[in-house]
Amino acid sequence: MFDFEKLGLAPTLTAALKEAGFAKPTPIQEKAIPLALEGHDIMGLAQTGTGKTLAFGLPLIDALLAQQGKPLPKTAKALVLAPTRELVNQIADSLRPLAKGTKLRIATVVGGQSINRQINMLSRGTDILVATPGRLIDLMDRRAVDLRSVRQLVLDEADQMLDMGFVHALRKIAPQLGTPRQTMLFSATMPKQIEELSRDYQTDPRKVQVSPPGKAADKITQSVHFLPKGDKPTKLREILSQDTNALTLVFARTKHGAERLMKGLASDGYNVASIHGNKSQGQRDRAIKAFRDGEITTLVATDVAARGIDIPGVAYVINYDLPDVPDNYVHRIGRTARAGREGEAIAFCSADEVDQLKQIQKLMKIDIPVASGTMPAAAAPSGNGGGRGKGGPRRGGGGRKPGGQGQGQAKAAPAAANKKRRPRRRSAVAA
């Protein structure tokens, strides 16, 4: 028996899963799907890259296949809210192959795209609407969408929605939905506010957890380099040059910092693009597609992309700047080691970021192994710095010390040498 058949899904869905190449459910899918099919509200806690999208998407499609009739104009039967444009698109792209051959419609609405085009699309009605809260409210205010037919609500990456202030939007959206309804809430971390959100919007939810909140995937090798802020550009080029064909995601703290970093790398001959809040949706979509296809091999991003990139081929995540919110570190590094693969997460930590590092380690209940340099003595935590992370490729981490390295300030090849590098050949990236 095909493993997904054991979960009680409709034959149409199991056939679509077979055709799409899914062999067996992930732990979060195995636990959540049967409960969701029974109609329970679900609180799903799992690290990124564990298959949360199908954990809620399959029960949604299964329930809609059992319903009669097309959606009325301007209405939706199910609503999925996600915090970023990238995540909305990723969710829809994951669900559409499973609805292939059915009459189900899946629509997306996000900011940065033509609202008039979205109004025209919604005028025909849709079965599943995947949306960012801000754009959905814009459409509600224009009376372009009627949510009274929604009987299933999904809040994906609910903790980030809270971080981004979307709780106020949710309070405006929820009263417009139909009742009774099933609400599924999925998150990679479990701050106190998530419990409060569950109490407000769920009824007797079944909690499904496959890893402790704040824990990174087991196959991610983590390391940290302590170095002065001014040495970060050199260290980044040194690390990128060690594996020129690997897909590498580099996180910067600000939009301007990300763009400046990208332009510097491009001028040195690196095959690079950037995505951040100052980029149009079209520019962001094209950059992510080029990264997925291996046409570019280094993508510089702000946290806008931390939960919206689902590319199994990402081998390395580099935290050029540590995030101010510790949970965001978990989501950033979750962009690697996806779909059972291995990956490496490398962090840079300058003197003014030590407090952020300590908060990250406290959240994850680990000491990230030191690859180079020394934490300033006054800020050093108790303990000896922990052991090696598990598995994964090794590039610039886990104690590798290039010649001449001291205090994490090893110098890479001169910029002129980088400029002479040949263009990188495309990587083979799994679809």
Side-chain angles (χ1 to χ4, degrees), residues 14-37:
T14 55
L17 287 163
K18 269 186 181 180
E19 184 177 346
F22 291 97
K24 60 181 181 179
T26 66
I28 188 68
Q29 294 163 7
E30 198 167 25
K31 292 183 178 182
I33 289 173
L35 293 172
L37 290 176

Side-chain angles (χ1 to χ4, degrees), residues 107-313:
T108 62
V109 292
V110 299
Q113 294 182 350
S114 168
I115 195 168
N116 290 328
R117 188 177 297 120
Q118 292 172 357
I119 289 171
N120 291 335
M121 173 191 62
L122 290 172
S123 69
R124 300 188 293 273
T126 187
D127 293 281
I128 300 176
L129 178 59
V130 192
T132 53
R135 176 48 61 94
L136 181 59
I137 287 178
D138 289 343
L139 291 162
M140 291 167 58
D141 290 342
R142 296 183 184 216
R143 301 183 185 277
V145 61
D146 183 345
L147 301 177
R148 288 175 293 177
S149 298
V150 171
R151 290 295 187 271
Q152 287 151 314
L153 170 65
V154 176
L155 306 177
D156 194 20
E157 304 291 8
D159 49 351
Q160 191 183 23
M161 280 200 275
L162 289 174
D163 291 341
M164 297 173 70
F166 286 140
V167 67
H168 303 294
L170 183 58
R171 289 183 182 137
K172 187 172 182 179
I173 293 168
Q176 305 303 315
L177 307 181
T179 56
R181 64 175 176 268
Q182 179 185 37
T183 300
M184 292 185 276
L185 184 157
F186 283 81
S187 179
T189 61
M190 185 64 179
K192 183 180 179 181
Q193 296 94 321
I194 292 295
E195 295 180 1
E196 296 172 355
L197 195 68
S198 175
R199 286 196 296 269
D200 289 341
Y201 297 103
Q202 293 187 301
T203 302
D204 190 24
R206 301 301 173 90
K207 188 174 181 179
V208 179
Q209 182 172 329
V210 298
S211 63
K215 183 180 182 297
D218 290 337
K219 293 187 177 182
I220 300 176
T221 299
Q222 299 182 64
S223 62
V224 59
H225 294 267
F226 293 106
L227 73 174
K229 185 177 294 186
D231 286 354
K232 286 185 177 184
T234 298
K235 176 59 71 175
L236 177 62
R237 287 157 174 77
E238 174 188 310
I239 293 173
L240 290 176
S241 298
Q242 291 178 11
D243 195 348
T244 57
N245 293 318
L247 295 187
T248 303
L249 184 56
V250 181
F251 280 103
R253 183 177 294 114
T254 68
K255 296 178 287 187
H256 297 295
E259 190 68 9
R260 185 167 55 249
L261 181 58
M262 181 276 292
K263 289 180 177 178
L265 290 171
S267 69
D268 284 347
Y270 290 89
N271 196 3
V272 61
S274 65
I275 57 171
H276 49 72
N278 282 350
K279 296 284 188 178
S280 70
Q281 186 61 43
Q283 289 173 317
R284 287 157 66 167
D285 290 345
R286 287 191 294 274
I288 289 176
K289 183 180 186 302
F291 189 55
R292 182 189 300 276
D293 294 343
E295 294 173 3
I296 63 166
T297 50
T298 301
L299 184 64
V300 183
T302 55
D303 281 316
V304 70
R307 309 193 192 195
I309 297 180
D310 183 12
I311 300 175

